[in-house]
Amino acid sequence: MALIVMKFGGSSVRDAQRVQNAAARIAAEHDKGSDVIVVVSAQGDTTDDLIAKAAEVNPAASPRDMDFLVTAGEQVSAALLTMALGKMGYRAVPLTGWQAGFITDSNHGRARIRRIETERLENEISKKNIVIVTGFQGVNRYDDITTLGRGGSDTSAVAIAASLKAEKCRIFTDVDGVYTADPRLVPTAQKLEAITYDEMLELATLGAQVLHNRSVEMAKKYNVPLEVLSSLEDKPGTVVKEVAKMEKMLIKGVAKDDRIMRISIVGVPDQPGIAYKLFSLLSSLKINVDIILQSIGRDGTKDITFTVALEDGMAAVQALEERKESLGFTKMVWDDNVSKVSIVGAGMESNPGVAAKMFEALAEANINIQMISTSEIKISVLIEKASSAAAVNAVHAAFEAPQ
Amino acid sequence: MALIVMKFGGSSVRDAQRVQNAAARIAAEHDKGSDVIVVVSAQGDTTDDLIAKAAEVNPAASPRDMDFLVTAGEQVSAALLTMALGKMGYRAVPLTGWQAGFITDSNHGRARIRRIETERLENEISKKNIVIVTGFQGVNRYDDITTLGRGGSDTSAVAIAASLKAEKCRIFTDVDGVYTADPRLVPTAQKLEAITYDEMLELATLGAQVLHNRSVEMAKKYNVPLEVLSSLEDKPGTVVKEVAKMEKMLIKGVAKDDRIMRISIVGVPDQPGIAYKLFSLLSSLKINVDIILQSIGRDGTKDITFTVALEDGMAAVQALEERKESLGFTKMVWDDNVSKVSIVGAGMESNPGVAAKMFEALAEANINIQMISTSEIKISVLIEKASSAAAVNAVHAAFEAPQ
């Protein structure tokens, strides 16, 4: 029997009407004869509301206690979805993260899944029950409740699909697929029929906000076919798989990420090992570093500039300030008034004209490039935040023209 | 080290201010050098709000799914209380029902605790952590989430106190103790310094709404000293223990219960075994029967009248209707326009004047008595609902006068 994993995000279950819509989609999948496991996020703004409640009591609450708090949100949505299916005459069973066997590390607030103990899931499936699992959560080895971080429900869904070798993992959301750019920013953005894991990964990492990047990494690793589609309309979405058929456009998408911070440490001794010290420190704090720029040494010193996610920014600054002496820098500056704009597309590396075209489009729009980073399938630039929407449009327009 | 169990009800944690009040009470207890385990209910109207959400989606949701839903409420309040203590510099740890080791039967919505696996609780206490446990909930042997029913948080608290041989179980609520009658109904009601388990049990069962009856039963069984006190003011409450010192008043309290239904089956054959059939049927449905009245047989038939909790009423009626033939009754009538008014006090049985005094007070207030039930320490009468407040006042006034 084919197993389908379906994931519904917070906006797809935000009220009773949406819960009933989602239930209807699930029921339709079950009616096709599939085994169905559903992963669900907290309703609408529930998580934010819970975070606000916490802030009233203790603005510096521990990540462990925050995890204990916010996981209540998915418990509510999973219960409601189960009830809606029950009303339609379907046998469904709701499971929390620990009940579904999600064992994670102890990194509260951004835990990684170690394994899924699938006994309970398999048992429910064998009884032909539709299983409704709370996304985004698990327990560590001490039975403390953990969360996978924002967007972690996608990861929960892919992890189940990988563990149980599901035929497909369908991610239902309030957009109807992956677009060449954010349609709210770029009216001419086009929906993609298919995209490769690597391309999706770059887009997800770059803030396209359609899929959580860890979920795409995991889907690639275990070769789980993903589909991103609308929870509101019954039409095909975008399929994410190993090899996507070539589309006319060379680039698959333009994305921007406004939630980043640029940090520079200035006057570092031009000696080996400094960069290692710096980035191993950040790594030990589980802070991911993105674009890195190191100046050429001059007068025996150099500068190192890098970007981190905005939410990690001040933690990084504080950690560096505490190690000022051992790192040997004279000054640190940081700036969150920046955005990263990127283009993504397989085959880009063999076409040097792509980068030139992107930079030309930005120059014509009078947008200054602060930093540049490239990989095999993407080119990213750091620009001032105020220009980010204009930059996305300019770049998208440049690549819309026939190549 | 003395262990104190503290329980805070929903109104005692209904907003950030109340949560901080509760945290201050907990901190003060901990500062005395006690080990402290706290049991907390869901905030204010949270449980009712969740039930309303469920009703929108499926008014006939299964008890299992309701349990899964509503237990999210205590998870939120336990997290917030932990955070408030954290802010004050105290090490606290929140635990759900399953984390705290509450193993129950599978009777969803009104489960009974089978045992508490106290390893985690003891481990946290040994680390000098204040433990914050979600009240009212546990898991069955299949790891499904269960609830103990309304007021079950009291039971959770007493169960922990009994399992870990706590020195005292302190129940914090929005009243400051147990009164001779509901002070909202009877302005002259007096607070009791002490009361016996049996007296409290009768009052709890009779709807005094101060303590959940199962919690009192359990406290009596394991001899757990209880104290009911205000979460808002720091002053002594009412102690519930095996032997309370004699107070001046013969009766300890007057209580009323408006949430009952009277059911009569008429024209039952006057043969042995009918009552057994009737009440074993109700017992198999976990419906408790309270006052029972059986008419004297006449013309070979008799009538049986009894009362049940209002929420069980229609289930009882339906079950009886389905067995109409085998029970052999001709007609069934039911009425929820009734109240039970009771007086409670040890030593009552050796003082026949008490019943007479109660009936006299009701007669003078022109209130008709439909049914009467007595035990060693209580006398209950069934009257029409509209007169219940007047009845409580009349009876309370009668016993206020010097004996």
mmCIF file of all heavy atoms in Angstrom, chain A residues 43 53 57-58 64-65 68 71 75 82-84 87 92 94 98-99 120 142-144, chain B residues 43 53 57-58 64-65 68 71 75 82-84 87 92 94 98-99 120 142-144:
data_model
loop_
_atom_site.group_PDB
_atom_site.id
_atom_site.type_symbol
_atom_site.label_atom_id
_atom_site.label_comp_id
_atom_site.label_asym_id
_atom_site.label_seq_id
_atom_site.Cartn_x
_atom_site.Cartn_y
_atom_site.Cartn_z
ATOM 1 N N GLN A 43 -2.083 26.326 14.665
ATOM 2 C CA GLN A 43 -3.011 27.175 13.925
ATOM 3 C C GLN A 43 -2.507 28.602 13.826
ATOM 4 O O GLN A 43 -2.124 29.202 14.837
ATOM 5 C CB GLN A 43 -4.347 27.242 14.655
ATOM 6 C CG GLN A 43 -5.162 25.974 14.600
ATOM 7 C CD GLN A 43 -6.550 26.214 15.172
ATOM 8 O OE1 GLN A 43 -6.689 26.453 16.356
ATOM 9 N NE2 GLN A 43 -7.567 26.172 14.335
ATOM 10 N N LYS A 53 2.737 35.501 25.305
ATOM 11 C CA LYS A 53 2.377 35.167 26.689
ATOM 12 C C LYS A 53 3.640 34.963 27.529
ATOM 13 O O LYS A 53 3.731 35.404 28.680
ATOM 14 C CB LYS A 53 1.594 33.855 26.709
ATOM 15 C CG LYS A 53 0.096 33.989 26.886
ATOM 16 C CD LYS A 53 -0.515 32.572 26.867
ATOM 17 C CE LYS A 53 -2.025 32.607 26.822
ATOM 18 N NZ LYS A 53 -2.642 32.973 28.114
ATOM 19 N N VAL A 57 5.637 37.122 31.033
ATOM 20 C CA VAL A 57 6.044 36.534 32.304
ATOM 21 C C VAL A 57 7.559 36.576 32.472
ATOM 22 O O VAL A 57 8.080 36.875 33.548
ATOM 23 C CB VAL A 57 5.535 35.071 32.388
ATOM 24 C CG1 VAL A 57 6.162 34.346 33.559
ATOM 25 C CG2 VAL A 57 4.023 35.060 32.508
ATOM 26 N N ASN A 58 8.261 36.257 31.388
ATOM 27 C CA ASN A 58 9.729 36.227 31.453
ATOM 28 C C ASN A 58 10.294 36.398 30.044
ATOM 29 O O ASN A 58 10.334 35.443 29.281
ATOM 30 C CB ASN A 58 10.204 34.903 32.069
ATOM 31 C CG ASN A 58 11.713 34.836 32.194
ATOM 32 O OD1 ASN A 58 12.433 35.718 31.710
ATOM 33 N ND2 ASN A 58 12.195 33.790 32.835
ATOM 34 N N ARG A 64 14.302 25.608 26.750
ATOM 35 C CA ARG A 64 13.608 24.385 27.163
ATOM 36 C C ARG A 64 12.159 24.703 27.537
ATOM 37 O O ARG A 64 11.225 24.005 27.125
ATOM 38 C CB ARG A 64 14.311 23.749 28.368
ATOM 39 C CG ARG A 64 13.693 22.428 28.804
ATOM 40 C CD ARG A 64 14.021 22.103 30.254
ATOM 41 N NE ARG A 64 13.455 23.108 31.139
ATOM 42 C CZ ARG A 64 13.709 23.201 32.435
ATOM 43 N NH1 ARG A 64 14.544 22.363 33.004
ATOM 44 N NH2 ARG A 64 13.145 24.146 33.162
ATOM 45 N N ASP A 65 11.964 25.774 28.305
ATOM 46 C CA ASP A 65 10.613 26.127 28.720
ATOM 47 C C ASP A 65 9.781 26.640 27.544
ATOM 48 O O ASP A 65 8.577 26.402 27.469
ATOM 49 C CB ASP A 65 10.663 27.169 29.839
ATOM 50 C CG ASP A 65 11.341 26.623 31.092
ATOM 51 O OD1 ASP A 65 11.468 25.386 31.208
ATOM 52 O OD2 ASP A 65 11.756 27.425 31.950
ATOM 53 N N PHE A 68 8.495 23.665 25.756
ATOM 54 C CA PHE A 68 7.384 23.067 26.510
ATOM 55 C C PHE A 68 6.095 23.841 26.232
ATOM 56 O O PHE A 68 5.013 23.269 26.097
ATOM 57 C CB PHE A 68 7.723 23.120 28.005
ATOM 58 C CG PHE A 68 6.816 22.308 28.879
ATOM 59 C CD1 PHE A 68 7.156 21.008 29.230
ATOM 60 C CD2 PHE A 68 5.639 22.842 29.378
ATOM 61 C CE1 PHE A 68 6.316 20.251 30.056
ATOM 62 C CE2 PHE A 68 4.802 22.096 30.195
ATOM 63 C CZ PHE A 68 5.146 20.796 30.535
ATOM 64 N N THR A 71 4.838 23.864 22.021
ATOM 65 C CA THR A 71 4.376 22.590 21.466
ATOM 66 C C THR A 71 2.904 22.327 21.768
ATOM 67 O O THR A 71 2.279 21.481 21.118
ATOM 68 C CB THR A 71 5.219 21.412 21.993
ATOM 69 O OG1 THR A 71 5.371 21.548 23.411
ATOM 70 C CG2 THR A 71 6.595 21.404 21.351
ATOM 71 N N GLN A 75 -0.550 20.587 19.334
ATOM 72 C CA GLN A 75 -1.433 19.604 19.956
ATOM 73 C C GLN A 75 -2.889 19.990 19.681
ATOM 74 O O GLN A 75 -3.730 19.138 19.386
ATOM 75 C CB GLN A 75 -1.129 19.541 21.446
ATOM 76 C CG GLN A 75 -1.548 18.222 22.061
ATOM 77 C CD GLN A 75 -1.049 18.083 23.489
ATOM 78 O OE1 GLN A 75 0.094 18.441 23.815
ATOM 79 N NE2 GLN A 75 -1.900 17.583 24.352
ATOM 80 N N THR A 82 -8.096 15.887 13.659
ATOM 81 C CA THR A 82 -8.593 14.536 13.929
ATOM 82 C C THR A 82 -10.111 14.540 14.103
ATOM 83 O O THR A 82 -10.823 13.685 13.577
ATOM 84 C CB THR A 82 -7.931 13.980 15.202
ATOM 85 O OG1 THR A 82 -6.522 14.038 15.045
ATOM 86 C CG2 THR A 82 -8.353 12.541 15.450
ATOM 87 N N MET A 83 -10.589 15.542 14.851
ATOM 88 C CA MET A 83 -12.032 15.643 15.090
ATOM 89 C C MET A 83 -12.792 15.890 13.788
ATOM 90 O O MET A 83 -13.871 15.323 13.570
ATOM 91 C CB MET A 83 -12.308 16.783 16.068
ATOM 92 C CG MET A 83 -11.820 16.500 17.478
ATOM 93 S SD MET A 83 -11.922 18.014 18.497
ATOM 94 C CE MET A 83 -11.242 17.383 20.045
ATOM 95 N N ALA A 84 -12.217 16.750 12.929
ATOM 96 C CA ALA A 84 -12.885 17.056 11.656
ATOM 97 C C ALA A 84 -12.993 15.789 10.802
ATOM 98 O O ALA A 84 -14.022 15.538 10.173
ATOM 99 C CB ALA A 84 -12.120 18.146 10.915
ATOM 100 N N LYS A 87 -15.672 13.551 12.190
ATOM 101 C CA LYS A 87 -17.019 13.981 11.822
ATOM 102 C C LYS A 87 -17.390 13.499 10.421
ATOM 103 O O LYS A 87 -18.553 13.223 10.134
ATOM 104 C CB LYS A 87 -17.112 15.495 11.887
ATOM 105 C CG LYS A 87 -18.550 15.961 11.854
ATOM 106 C CD LYS A 87 -18.680 17.433 12.041
ATOM 107 C CE LYS A 87 -20.143 17.833 11.951
ATOM 108 N NZ LYS A 87 -20.274 19.202 11.464
ATOM 109 N N ALA A 92 -9.270 8.526 12.501
ATOM 110 C CA ALA A 92 -7.978 9.204 12.576
ATOM 111 C C ALA A 92 -7.509 9.174 14.014
ATOM 112 O O ALA A 92 -8.308 9.032 14.940
ATOM 113 C CB ALA A 92 -8.110 10.646 12.088
ATOM 114 N N PRO A 94 -4.676 11.214 16.673
ATOM 115 C CA PRO A 94 -3.688 12.282 16.816
ATOM 116 C C PRO A 94 -2.506 11.803 17.667
ATOM 117 O O PRO A 94 -2.683 11.100 18.654
ATOM 118 C CB PRO A 94 -4.475 13.354 17.580
ATOM 119 C CG PRO A 94 -5.406 12.574 18.461
ATOM 120 C CD PRO A 94 -5.717 11.288 17.718
ATOM 121 N N TRP A 98 6.354 13.059 20.781
ATOM 122 C CA TRP A 98 6.904 11.903 21.509
ATOM 123 C C TRP A 98 6.098 10.646 21.215
ATOM 124 O O TRP A 98 6.673 9.551 21.116
ATOM 125 C CB TRP A 98 7.014 12.190 23.007
ATOM 126 C CG TRP A 98 5.714 12.332 23.749
ATOM 127 C CD1 TRP A 98 5.043 13.488 23.980
ATOM 128 C CD2 TRP A 98 4.929 11.291 24.362
ATOM 129 N NE1 TRP A 98 3.882 13.241 24.670
ATOM 130 C CE2 TRP A 98 3.785 11.910 24.930
ATOM 131 C CE3 TRP A 98 5.080 9.910 24.477
ATOM 132 C CZ2 TRP A 98 2.807 11.195 25.609
ATOM 133 C CZ3 TRP A 98 4.092 9.192 25.155
ATOM 134 C CH2 TRP A 98 2.975 9.834 25.713
ATOM 135 N N GLN A 99 4.781 10.801 21.053
ATOM 136 C CA GLN A 99 3.980 9.615 20.748
ATOM 137 C C GLN A 99 4.330 9.058 19.378
ATOM 138 O O GLN A 99 4.312 7.843 19.171
ATOM 139 C CB GLN A 99 2.484 9.964 20.795
ATOM 140 C CG GLN A 99 1.976 10.244 22.202
ATOM 141 C CD GLN A 99 0.525 10.686 22.195
ATOM 142 O OE1 GLN A 99 0.119 11.508 21.389
ATOM 143 N NE2 GLN A 99 -0.271 10.156 23.100
ATOM 144 N N ARG A 120 4.826 3.005 16.716
ATOM 145 C CA ARG A 120 3.458 3.478 16.886
ATOM 146 C C ARG A 120 2.838 3.894 15.543
ATOM 147 O O ARG A 120 1.689 3.564 15.249
ATOM 148 C CB ARG A 120 3.442 4.654 17.870
ATOM 149 C CG ARG A 120 2.074 5.293 18.107
ATOM 150 C CD ARG A 120 1.193 4.426 18.983
ATOM 151 N NE ARG A 120 -0.183 4.867 19.022
ATOM 152 C CZ ARG A 120 -0.730 5.581 20.016
ATOM 153 N NH1 ARG A 120 -0.015 5.919 21.060
ATOM 154 N NH2 ARG A 120 -2.005 5.916 19.983
ATOM 155 N N TYR A 142 16.240 12.432 27.407
ATOM 156 C CA TYR A 142 15.787 12.548 28.800
ATOM 157 C C TYR A 142 14.275 12.736 28.879
ATOM 158 O O TYR A 142 13.741 13.061 29.932
ATOM 159 C CB TYR A 142 16.492 13.716 29.486
ATOM 160 C CG TYR A 142 17.996 13.638 29.341
ATOM 161 C CD1 TYR A 142 18.678 14.513 28.501
ATOM 162 C CD2 TYR A 142 18.719 12.663 30.022
ATOM 163 C CE1 TYR A 142 20.050 14.426 28.340
ATOM 164 C CE2 TYR A 142 20.086 12.564 29.867
ATOM 165 C CZ TYR A 142 20.748 13.443 29.029
ATOM 166 O OH TYR A 142 22.091 13.341 28.869
ATOM 167 N N ASP A 143 13.595 12.606 27.743
ATOM 168 C CA ASP A 143 12.141 12.795 27.686
ATOM 169 C C ASP A 143 11.733 14.238 27.892
ATOM 170 O O ASP A 143 10.602 14.519 28.314
ATOM 171 C CB ASP A 143 11.415 11.914 28.725
ATOM 172 C CG ASP A 143 11.114 10.536 28.171
ATOM 173 O OD1 ASP A 143 11.327 10.314 26.974
ATOM 174 O OD2 ASP A 143 10.657 9.676 28.950
ATOM 175 N N ASP A 144 12.636 15.183 27.631
ATOM 176 C CA ASP A 144 12.233 16.592 27.629
ATOM 177 C C ASP A 144 11.731 16.946 26.236
ATOM 178 O O ASP A 144 12.260 16.472 25.231
ATOM 179 C CB ASP A 144 13.423 17.495 27.983
ATOM 180 C CG ASP A 144 13.764 17.421 29.458
ATOM 181 O OD1 ASP A 144 12.817 17.333 30.276
ATOM 182 O OD2 ASP A 144 14.968 17.442 29.786
ATOM 183 N N GLN B 43 -4.990 27.814 32.476
ATOM 184 C CA GLN B 43 -5.321 29.194 32.823
ATOM 185 C C GLN B 43 -6.790 29.503 32.605
ATOM 186 O O GLN B 43 -7.332 29.214 31.541
ATOM 187 C CB GLN B 43 -4.540 30.155 31.925
ATOM 188 C CG GLN B 43 -3.060 30.213 32.179
ATOM 189 C CD GLN B 43 -2.438 31.347 31.383
ATOM 190 O OE1 GLN B 43 -2.364 31.261 30.173
ATOM 191 N NE2 GLN B 43 -2.016 32.397 32.057
ATOM 192 N N LYS B 53 -13.656 25.467 20.625
ATOM 193 C CA LYS B 53 -12.977 25.248 19.345
ATOM 194 C C LYS B 53 -13.360 23.873 18.784
ATOM 195 O O LYS B 53 -13.604 23.719 17.582
ATOM 196 C CB LYS B 53 -11.455 25.255 19.557
ATOM 197 C CG LYS B 53 -10.742 26.533 19.145
ATOM 198 C CD LYS B 53 -9.245 26.361 19.432
ATOM 199 C CE LYS B 53 -8.459 27.640 19.256
ATOM 200 N NZ LYS B 53 -8.252 27.994 17.825
ATOM 201 N N VAL B 57 -15.706 22.364 15.171
ATOM 202 C CA VAL B 57 -15.245 21.403 14.169
ATOM 203 C C VAL B 57 -16.068 20.113 14.225
ATOM 204 O O VAL B 57 -16.433 19.554 13.197
ATOM 205 C CB VAL B 57 -13.753 21.079 14.392
ATOM 206 C CG1 VAL B 57 -13.314 19.903 13.536
ATOM 207 C CG2 VAL B 57 -12.912 22.309 14.076
ATOM 208 N N ASN B 58 -16.337 19.651 15.428
ATOM 209 C CA ASN B 58 -17.078 18.399 15.593
ATOM 210 C C ASN B 58 -17.722 18.373 16.975
ATOM 211 O O ASN B 58 -17.067 18.079 17.963
ATOM 212 C CB ASN B 58 -16.126 17.209 15.424
ATOM 213 C CG ASN B 58 -16.854 15.878 15.527
ATOM 214 O OD1 ASN B 58 -18.043 15.836 15.877
ATOM 215 N ND2 ASN B 58 -16.143 14.800 15.236
ATOM 216 N N ARG B 64 -11.326 10.647 23.503
ATOM 217 C CA ARG B 64 -9.881 10.528 23.328
ATOM 218 C C ARG B 64 -9.311 11.789 22.676
ATOM 219 O O ARG B 64 -8.306 12.332 23.121
ATOM 220 C CB ARG B 64 -9.552 9.314 22.441
ATOM 221 C CG ARG B 64 -8.066 9.058 22.283
ATOM 222 C CD ARG B 64 -7.767 8.238 21.035
ATOM 223 N NE ARG B 64 -8.159 8.981 19.843
ATOM 224 C CZ ARG B 64 -8.186 8.477 18.612
ATOM 225 N NH1 ARG B 64 -7.882 7.214 18.423
ATOM 226 N NH2 ARG B 64 -8.551 9.227 17.580
ATOM 227 N N ASP B 65 -10.000 12.268 21.636
ATOM 228 C CA ASP B 65 -9.518 13.463 20.953
ATOM 229 C C ASP B 65 -9.681 14.706 21.827
ATOM 230 O O ASP B 65 -8.853 15.615 21.784
ATOM 231 C CB ASP B 65 -10.240 13.636 19.616
ATOM 232 C CG ASP B 65 -9.963 12.476 18.658
ATOM 233 O OD1 ASP B 65 -8.980 11.737 18.898
ATOM 234 O OD2 ASP B 65 -10.721 12.307 17.687
ATOM 235 N N PHE B 68 -6.763 14.799 24.113
ATOM 236 C CA PHE B 68 -5.564 15.238 23.385
ATOM 237 C C PHE B 68 -5.573 16.762 23.259
ATOM 238 O O PHE B 68 -4.547 17.422 23.384
ATOM 239 C CB PHE B 68 -5.571 14.588 22.003
ATOM 240 C CG PHE B 68 -4.283 14.721 21.238
ATOM 241 C CD1 PHE B 68 -3.320 13.719 21.292
ATOM 242 C CD2 PHE B 68 -4.019 15.834 20.450
ATOM 243 C CE1 PHE B 68 -2.132 13.831 20.580
ATOM 244 C CE2 PHE B 68 -2.834 15.955 19.732
ATOM 245 C CZ PHE B 68 -1.887 14.950 19.802
ATOM 246 N N THR B 71 -5.540 18.913 27.088
ATOM 247 C CA THR B 71 -4.317 18.826 27.885
ATOM 248 C C THR B 71 -3.277 19.860 27.454
ATOM 249 O O THR B 71 -2.334 20.134 28.197
ATOM 250 C CB THR B 71 -3.699 17.418 27.813
ATOM 251 O OG1 THR B 71 -3.666 17.001 26.449
ATOM 252 C CG2 THR B 71 -4.517 16.421 28.613
ATOM 253 N N GLN B 75 -0.333 22.516 29.713
ATOM 254 C CA GLN B 75 1.052 22.618 29.255
ATOM 255 C C GLN B 75 1.461 24.092 29.198
ATOM 256 O O GLN B 75 2.576 24.457 29.586
ATOM 257 C CB GLN B 75 1.158 21.945 27.892
ATOM 258 C CG GLN B 75 2.561 21.502 27.569
ATOM 259 C CD GLN B 75 2.616 20.631 26.331
ATOM 260 O OE1 GLN B 75 1.766 19.766 26.135
ATOM 261 N NE2 GLN B 75 3.617 20.858 25.502
ATOM 262 N N THR B 82 6.770 28.018 35.255
ATOM 263 C CA THR B 82 8.206 27.703 35.282
ATOM 264 C C THR B 82 9.029 28.935 34.892
ATOM 265 O O THR B 82 10.050 29.247 35.524
ATOM 266 C CB THR B 82 8.509 26.553 34.309
ATOM 267 O OG1 THR B 82 7.690 25.436 34.645
ATOM 268 C CG2 THR B 82 9.976 26.152 34.376
ATOM 269 N N MET B 83 8.579 29.616 33.861
ATOM 270 C CA MET B 83 9.286 30.810 33.394
ATOM 271 C C MET B 83 9.282 31.905 34.456
ATOM 272 O O MET B 83 10.287 32.594 34.651
ATOM 273 C CB MET B 83 8.613 31.346 32.123
ATOM 274 C CG MET B 83 8.795 30.442 30.911
ATOM 275 S SD MET B 83 7.736 30.993 29.544
ATOM 276 C CE MET B 83 8.120 29.719 28.324
ATOM 277 N N ALA B 84 8.144 32.081 35.130
ATOM 278 C CA ALA B 84 8.061 33.111 36.171
ATOM 279 C C ALA B 84 9.047 32.796 37.299
ATOM 280 O O ALA B 84 9.719 33.699 37.822
ATOM 281 C CB ALA B 84 6.627 33.195 36.711
ATOM 282 N N LYS B 87 12.555 33.582 36.155
ATOM 283 C CA LYS B 87 12.853 35.016 36.209
ATOM 284 C C LYS B 87 13.237 35.457 37.620
ATOM 285 O O LYS B 87 14.040 36.370 37.818
ATOM 286 C CB LYS B 87 11.640 35.812 35.728
ATOM 287 C CG LYS B 87 12.014 37.259 35.445
ATOM 288 C CD LYS B 87 10.880 38.039 34.874
ATOM 289 C CE LYS B 87 11.316 39.463 34.627
ATOM 290 N NZ LYS B 87 10.191 40.385 34.759
ATOM 291 N N ALA B 92 13.383 25.736 38.089
ATOM 292 C CA ALA B 92 12.141 24.959 38.029
ATOM 293 C C ALA B 92 12.123 24.185 36.732
ATOM 294 O O ALA B 92 12.793 24.550 35.767
ATOM 295 C CB ALA B 92 10.930 25.895 38.101
ATOM 296 N N PRO B 94 9.306 22.102 34.074
ATOM 297 C CA PRO B 94 7.907 21.755 33.801
ATOM 298 C C PRO B 94 7.794 20.318 33.300
ATOM 299 O O PRO B 94 8.609 19.861 32.505
ATOM 300 C CB PRO B 94 7.541 22.734 32.672
ATOM 301 C CG PRO B 94 8.825 22.908 31.907
ATOM 302 C CD PRO B 94 9.965 22.719 32.902
ATOM 303 N N TRP B 98 2.520 12.747 31.291
ATOM 304 C CA TRP B 98 3.298 11.540 30.985
ATOM 305 C C TRP B 98 4.730 11.680 31.461
ATOM 306 O O TRP B 98 5.334 10.696 31.913
ATOM 307 C CB TRP B 98 3.229 11.196 29.492
ATOM 308 C CG TRP B 98 3.892 12.144 28.561
ATOM 309 C CD1 TRP B 98 3.305 13.216 27.947
ATOM 310 C CD2 TRP B 98 5.258 12.136 28.130
ATOM 311 N NE1 TRP B 98 4.229 13.865 27.172
ATOM 312 C CE2 TRP B 98 5.434 13.227 27.248
ATOM 313 C CE3 TRP B 98 6.358 11.313 28.391
ATOM 314 C CZ2 TRP B 98 6.650 13.524 26.647
ATOM 315 C CZ3 TRP B 98 7.575 11.609 27.780
ATOM 316 C CH2 TRP B 98 7.715 12.697 26.921
ATOM 317 N N GLN B 99 5.280 12.871 31.392
ATOM 318 C CA GLN B 99 6.647 13.050 31.868
ATOM 319 C C GLN B 99 6.723 12.844 33.381
ATOM 320 O O GLN B 99 7.725 12.339 33.896
ATOM 321 C CB GLN B 99 7.152 14.451 31.521
ATOM 322 C CG GLN B 99 7.404 14.657 30.032
ATOM 323 C CD GLN B 99 7.810 16.081 29.708
ATOM 324 O OE1 GLN B 99 7.208 17.036 30.194
ATOM 325 N NE2 GLN B 99 8.819 16.237 28.885
ATOM 326 N N ARG B 120 11.134 10.187 37.554
ATOM 327 C CA ARG B 120 11.488 11.520 37.071
ATOM 328 C C ARG B 120 11.267 12.572 38.154
ATOM 329 O O ARG B 120 12.107 13.453 38.368
ATOM 330 C CB ARG B 120 10.647 11.851 35.825
ATOM 331 C CG ARG B 120 10.889 13.251 35.245
ATOM 332 C CD ARG B 120 12.183 13.312 34.494
ATOM 333 N NE ARG B 120 12.574 14.649 34.126
ATOM 334 C CZ ARG B 120 12.409 15.195 32.917
ATOM 335 N NH1 ARG B 120 11.857 14.509 31.953
ATOM 336 N NH2 ARG B 120 12.814 16.423 32.668
ATOM 337 N N TYR B 142 -1.257 2.482 26.555
ATOM 338 C CA TYR B 142 -0.898 2.544 25.139
ATOM 339 C C TYR B 142 -0.242 3.877 24.788
ATOM 340 O O TYR B 142 -0.066 4.200 23.621
ATOM 341 C CB TYR B 142 -2.140 2.337 24.266
ATOM 342 C CG TYR B 142 -2.899 1.094 24.643
ATOM 343 C CD1 TYR B 142 -4.109 1.174 25.322
ATOM 344 C CD2 TYR B 142 -2.376 -0.165 24.367
ATOM 345 C CE1 TYR B 142 -4.792 0.029 25.703
ATOM 346 C CE2 TYR B 142 -3.046 -1.314 24.739
ATOM 347 C CZ TYR B 142 -4.264 -1.211 25.410
ATOM 348 O OH TYR B 142 -4.920 -2.339 25.790
ATOM 349 N N ASP B 143 0.080 4.668 25.828
ATOM 350 C CA ASP B 143 0.678 5.984 25.615
ATOM 351 C C ASP B 143 -0.277 6.982 24.989
ATOM 352 O O ASP B 143 0.153 7.960 24.380
ATOM 353 C CB ASP B 143 1.945 5.903 24.749
ATOM 354 C CG ASP B 143 3.177 5.602 25.587
ATOM 355 O OD1 ASP B 143 3.067 5.599 26.826
ATOM 356 O OD2 ASP B 143 4.247 5.379 25.004
ATOM 357 N N ASP B 144 -1.573 6.757 25.122
ATOM 358 C CA ASP B 144 -2.544 7.770 24.705
ATOM 359 C C ASP B 144 -2.786 8.721 25.869
ATOM 360 O O ASP B 144 -2.814 8.305 27.031
ATOM 361 C CB ASP B 144 -3.873 7.120 24.298
ATOM 362 C CG ASP B 144 -3.773 6.422 22.954
ATOM 363 O OD1 ASP B 144 -3.077 6.969 22.074
ATOM 364 O OD2 ASP B 144 -4.371 5.347 22.786
#
